[in-house]
Amino acid sequence: MKNIILFGAPGAGKGTQSKMLVEKYDLAYISTGEILRNEIKNKTSLGLKAKEVMDKGMFVSDDIIVGMITNFIEKNHNKGILLDGFPRTVVQAEELDDILKNTHRENHLLVLSLNVPKEELMRRLLKRAEIEGRTDDNEQTIKERFNQYETKTLPVAEFYKKKQGVYFEVNGIGTLEQAFVHLCEIIDKN
Ligand code: AMP
């Protein structure tokens, strides 16, 4: 059973690659950001709270996010999973370790990091803003999202690098297909 974390900065292409991987490997998919955007669209109380934080480029609290992941994994107990946008803090990664242990998935984890230089990320996010109209894809918010990524999420990569044979990096600057082929090679070998 494959359990995959797709890791990378905002704009690295996690959403697009996830959708292709989910189809190829028949995985259950969760994007915490997508769930939050749906909550906002449906004007739920969580959505209203989350919007304020997300529009500033900050993170939603670990408790709320870990709750979402716990539900998701419980519902998909018989399937491999793909996590997009989670874990984003070391606390979330530690909580995930417990969840994976409790569901006997801890020895079947791959963390795939899509690496893209910052200037290219900024360019992609501003372009996405024009196409998708995400309210957090404006220059000011993007800067804060990078700041959160560098201070809170990069330590998550270090957390996984310490585990043997779990963490792999893929160049995310070529075409979509090139990155996809590399991701699949790593998944098939491990
Ligand atoms: P994304 O769609 O993954 O880029 O996420 C959009 C926004 O949702 C982020 O900038 C955060 O405000 C929030 N968010 C998504 N996932 C998480 C997470 N794992 N922890 C905290 N906040 C999150």
Side-chain angles (χ1 to χ4, degrees), residues 63-179:
D63 289 4
I64 291 177
I65 300 283
V66 170
M68 286 177 185
I69 296 291
T70 308
N71 280 340
F72 165 77
I73 293 183
E74 270 170 17
K75 274 195 203 136
N76 291 286
H77 55 89
N78 53 355
K79 268 195 113 171
I81 53 174
L82 193 154
L83 308 177
D84 167 5
F86 175 92
R88 260 180 159 98
T89 64
V90 171
V91 170
Q92 292 177 14
E94 287 168 348
E95 295 272 355
L96 178 64
D97 260 5
D98 287 344
I99 302 173
L100 294 178
K101 267 188 206 121
N102 294 337
T103 54
H104 312 291
R105 295 173 189 259
E106 79 268 34
N107 296 325
H108 307 276
L109 177 68
L110 284 178
V111 180
L112 308 177
S113 175
L114 270 176
N115 292 357
V116 177
K118 205 163 166 182
E119 308 73 57
E120 171 66 10
L121 292 169
M122 180 62 98
R123 200 187 60 74
R124 287 186 189 179
L125 289 170
L126 292 173
K127 192 167 151 211
R128 186 169 77 183
E130 286 171 22
I131 300 166
E132 293 180 19
R134 261 177 66 166
T135 53
D136 59 349
D137 281 344
N138 63 76
E139 204 161 339
Q140 180 73 26
T141 307
I142 292 168
K143 282 194 179 137
E144 184 52 37
R145 285 161 67 203
F146 283 159
N147 180 35
Q148 297 271 312
Y149 177 75
E150 280 159 11
T151 55
K152 297 183 183 161
T153 308
L154 277 181
V156 173
E158 297 308 314
F159 177 90
Y160 288 115
K161 279 181 200 172
K162 285 187 202 136
K163 295 180 189 275
Q164 202 96 54
V166 167
Y167 181 88
F168 298 87
E169 296 191 344
V170 167
N171 186 346
I173 34 179
T175 63
L176 278 181
E177 290 73 22
Q178 283 168 334

Side-chain angles (χ1 to χ4, degrees), residues 175-189:
T175 63
L176 278 181
E177 290 73 22
Q178 283 168 334
F180 183 65
V181 166
H182 287 149
L183 289 168
C184 294
E185 276 169 8
I186 297 170
I187 294 170
D188 293 341
K189 267 193 221 145

Side-chain angles (χ1 to χ4, degrees), residues 5-109:
I5 294 172
L6 203 53
F7 189 84
K14 299 189 295 292
T16 314
Q17 295 294 341
S18 290
K19 290 186 175 99
M20 289 153 64
L21 291 171
V22 161
E23 199 167 315
K24 174 159 175 162
Y25 294 99
D26 189 27
L27 302 169
Y29 172 66
I30 183 170
S31 150
T32 42
E34 213 167 275
I35 292 184
L36 292 166
R37 280 187 290 282
N38 269 328
E39 296 281 338
I40 293 174
K41 203 162 82 193
N42 295 329
K43 299 197 168 61
T44 64
S45 64
L46 166 59
L48 294 175
K49 259 194 271 169
K51 181 169 170 44
E52 226 175 282
V53 182
M54 286 165 75
D55 280 350
K56 290 191 196 129
M58 314 281 282
F59 284 171
V60 172
S61 78
D62 289 331
D63 289 4
I64 291 177
I65 300 283
V66 170
M68 286 177 185
I69 296 291
T70 308
N71 280 340
F72 165 77
I73 293 183
E74 270 170 17
K75 274 195 203 136
N76 291 286
H77 55 89
N78 53 355
K79 268 195 113 171
I81 53 174
L82 193 154
L83 308 177
D84 167 5
F86 175 92
R88 260 180 159 98
T89 64
V90 171
V91 170
Q92 292 177 14
E94 287 168 348
E95 295 272 355
L96 178 64
D97 260 5
D98 287 344
I99 302 173
L100 294 178
K101 267 188 206 121
N102 294 337
T103 54
H104 312 291
R105 295 173 189 259
E106 79 268 34
N107 296 325
H108 307 276
L109 177 68

